[in-house]
Amino acid sequence: MLLTIDCGNTNTVFAIWDGTEFVASWRRATNAHSTGDEYYTWLRTSMTLRSLDVEITECIISSTVPRVVFNLRVLCDRYYDTRPLVVGKPDCALPVAPRVDAGTTVGPDRLVNTAAGFDRHGGDLIVVDFGTATTFDVVDHDGAYVGGVIAPGVNLSLEALHMAAAALPHVDITQPQRVVGSNTVACMQSGIFWGYVGLIKEIAARIKSERSRPMKVVSTGGLAPLFQQADTLFDVYEDDLTMHGLTVIHKHNKE
Ligand SMILES: Nc1ncnc2c1ncn2[C@@H]1O[C@H](COP(=O)(O)OP(=O)(O)O)[C@@H](O)[C@H]1O
Ligand SMILES: CC(C)(COP(=O)(O)O)[C@@H](O)C(=O)NCCC(=O)O
Ligand SMILES: [K+]
């Protein structure tokens, strides 16, 4: 079975793919200090808790945090006796090569989302991923990643307000009932929520107009549905997009 690992700046998701479907997935905080031994013990326990007894024979990793990759490689090598594919490394082929400025390193998560989006929807896509940062990945008609937009993540924006201003508390994101907040928390939630709705609309519209063609907007990441309920911002929401992309890239490398 294939172990897929998607490491973001905040969380790392591990999932097991049996060739047809994901049989389980687990999420933990990203920590560059976690060792291969720790990952293995935690995964073993997590599998036992679900009465899962599967043999992991292959592994693919996407990591936006380069330092984490070393310990994930140790996990694969020491405990599963397999050399992982690492997205973005020269020995991991992509279905379609990105077209960006020479010398640019594209976030592996964006390459994975591109492969997943193209596999499911074909080309001319905008993939919006709500993570630590909110990324817009533009996928050309032939499936190539051609660039996009990086905006501060929703929680990062809320945290920045709290960190920088002594009188602003830590608040969670939610859709405020009204735009005009009548207390501090409501004001902050309004700024982030409605500001974000505007950001998504404006960026998607400008990408479409810059490229002079209709494009499908695909969203992923836990916060996408919250924004979609306020306005029609996306054509489709796919919770498992990044994990699907890892299976697409793995398959491409095995063919
Ligand atoms: N369903 C959700 N509801 C609220 N917050 C969420 C949800 N899913 C993720 N988050 C938050 O969004 C932020 C980004 O998380 P995540 O998507 O795991 O980022 P990354 O992929 O960059 O590690 C984190 O602060 C996380 O706690
Ligand atoms: C933009 C990102 C920080 C998003 O990471 P995430 O929110 O998933 O943790 C990541 O894709 C990245 O480090 N990119 C490198 C620069 C680029 O993609 O152009
Ligand atoms: K992201």
Side-chain angles (χ1 to χ4, degrees), residues 109 129-135:
D109 55 324
D129 187 338
F130 291 80
T132 309
T134 298
T135 46

Side-chain angles (χ1 to χ4, degrees), residues 6-12 27 30 130-133 155 173 221-223:
D6 166 30
C7 173
N9 282 283
T10 306
N11 291 305
T12 305
R27 177 180 284 256
T30 296
F130 291 80
T132 309
N155 285 308
I173 186 70
L223 290 174

